[in-house]
């Protein structure tokens, strides 16, 4: 993509925030072009059987949409945009939770829907992708930061999400808290995860953590003084 085209697409996306109706047709045409590009990329992905290769392909495709996404986020106007929602989900698919956050924030704040081929709401898909990716990275000792996962949890606080999915997200946040040494907060998230779904797979970790916390508090309870 040439610098001129990049600039044009960013400007056209930003015009979604403009009130001047003379730009409406130009913006509509630019959006159609983005949708056509997306359809072409989807056809390419459909021809790839390996999930790992699909994810690698998405990584190479995402840069094409950056000017459009940057313009939308800058304008912050809202309105349904299937390109932004799809790019956000692809970014999450690649494991780039940090890169997807501003898009997820936009989608939730403006109440954008998922395109028809997705059977679940945007909030549920975001929560599940973040939880699954977070847990997968944690098991590889490369987990996302506690702060980032907390930001996603806060973003999704008031959204209607399946309990099992929210439980997984609390599990991921709890593990991140534990990795950063925040044992009390980790225990709170583990307990909340179990309240939401008792088969979330965190019972033994919580038992071990609670024993550690109890042991750490014992010296204070038996310490002298009074």
């Amino acid at each position: 993509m040439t610098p001129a085209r990049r600039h044009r697409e960013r400007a056209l996306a930003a015009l979604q925030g403009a009130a001047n109706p003379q730009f409406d047709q130009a913006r509509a045409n630019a959006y159609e072009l983005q949708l056509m590009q997306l359809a072409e990329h989807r056809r390419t992905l459909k021809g790839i059987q390996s999930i790992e290769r699909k994810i690698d392909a998405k990584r190479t495709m995402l840069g094409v949409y950056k000017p459009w996404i940057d313009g939308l986020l800058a304008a912050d106007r809202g309105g349904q945009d299937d390109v932004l929602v799809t790019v956000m989900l692809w970014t999450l698919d690649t494991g780039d939770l940090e890169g997807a956050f501003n898009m997820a924030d936009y989608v939730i704040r403006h109440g954008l829907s998922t395109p028809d081929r997705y059977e679940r709401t945007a909030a549920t898909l975001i929560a599940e992708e973040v939880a699954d990716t977070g847990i997968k990275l944690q098991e590889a000792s490369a987990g996302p930061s506690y702060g980032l996962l907390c930001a996603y949890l806060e973003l999704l606080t008031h959204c209607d999400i399946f309990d099992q999915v929210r439980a997984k997200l609390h599990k991921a946040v709890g593990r991140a808290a534990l990795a950063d040494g925040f044992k009390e907060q980790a225990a709170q998230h583990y307990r909340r995860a179990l309240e939401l779904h008792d088969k979330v797979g965190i019972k033994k970790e919580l038992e071990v953590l609670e024993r550690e916390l109890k042991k750490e508090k014992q010296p204070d309870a038996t310490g002298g003084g009074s």
Side-chain angles (χ1 to χ4, degrees):
M1 186 185 291
T2 64
R5 186 180 166 194
R6 246 195 322 270
H7 173 76
R8 180 176 175 273
E9 289 188 357
R10 188 181 295 115
L12 284 168
L15 287 174
Q16 293 215 21
N20 193 333
Q22 79 182 78
F23 295 119
D24 283 355
Q25 190 58 51
R27 178 177 59 79
N29 291 344
Y31 181 55
E32 286 298 323
L33 286 173
Q34 296 293 314
L35 287 174
M36 287 167 62
Q37 176 68 80
L38 202 57
E40 184 184 322
H41 278 158
R42 264 198 231 100
R43 281 192 293 272
T44 300
L45 292 169
K46 197 172 181 182
I48 302 172
Q49 295 185 55
S50 162
I51 291 175
E52 188 176 48
R53 287 187 179 184
K54 279 183 195 282
I55 290 170
D56 286 340
K58 284 177 181 177
R59 282 196 185 97
T60 65
M61 295 169 178
L62 284 170
V64 172
Y65 304 99
K66 190 175 186 305
W68 181 258
I69 301 303
D70 287 349
L72 288 178
L73 296 180
D76 199 27
R77 181 186 181 187
Q80 183 60 31
D81 191 294
D82 287 358
V83 176
L84 182 137
V85 178
T86 303
V87 169
M88 175 199 69
L89 292 171
W90 286 8
T91 304
L92 288 170
D93 278 346
T94 67
D96 185 7
L97 302 189
E98 191 168 346
F101 184 80
N102 287 340
M103 288 182 276
D105 175 65
Y106 184 100
V107 166
I108 297 300
R109 283 190 299 104
H110 292 295
L112 271 61
S113 304
T114 50
D116 290 342
R117 67 191 173 281
Y118 295 103
E119 294 178 354
R120 283 175 291 172
T121 64
T124 295
L125 282 171
I126 291 167
E128 189 147 46
E129 287 283 355
V130 170
D132 287 345
T133 299
I135 290 167
K136 183 179 177 182
L137 290 171
Q138 286 162 352
E139 288 171 354
S141 300
S145 72
Y146 174 46
L148 179 59
L149 289 178
C150 279
Y152 271 107
L153 189 64
E154 185 177 348
L155 176 65
L156 298 165
T157 298
H158 302 295
C159 298
D160 183 21
I161 296 169
F162 292 118
D163 289 344
Q164 297 96 317
V165 174
R166 197 180 291 277
K168 277 197 296 186
L169 186 54
H170 275 283
K171 174 180 175 178
V173 175
R175 284 183 171 175
L178 188 58
D180 282 1
F182 301 115
K183 292 185 178 181
E184 287 284 1
Q185 290 91 328
Q188 288 170 16
H189 286 293
Y190 285 179
R191 291 186 199 110
R192 182 61 181 140
L194 286 166
E195 283 175 4
L196 290 164
H197 183 53
D198 64 357
K199 292 182 174 60
V200 72
I202 211 84
K203 283 180 184 175
K204 290 200 183 304
E205 288 176 58
L206 179 58
E207 287 170 7
V208 170
L209 181 54
E210 285 182 328
R211 280 199 297 271
E212 286 180 14
L213 286 168
K214 189 176 179 182
K215 192 174 180 181
E216 287 173 7
K217 289 173 183 175
Q218 278 177 346
D220 295 332
T222 57
S226 58

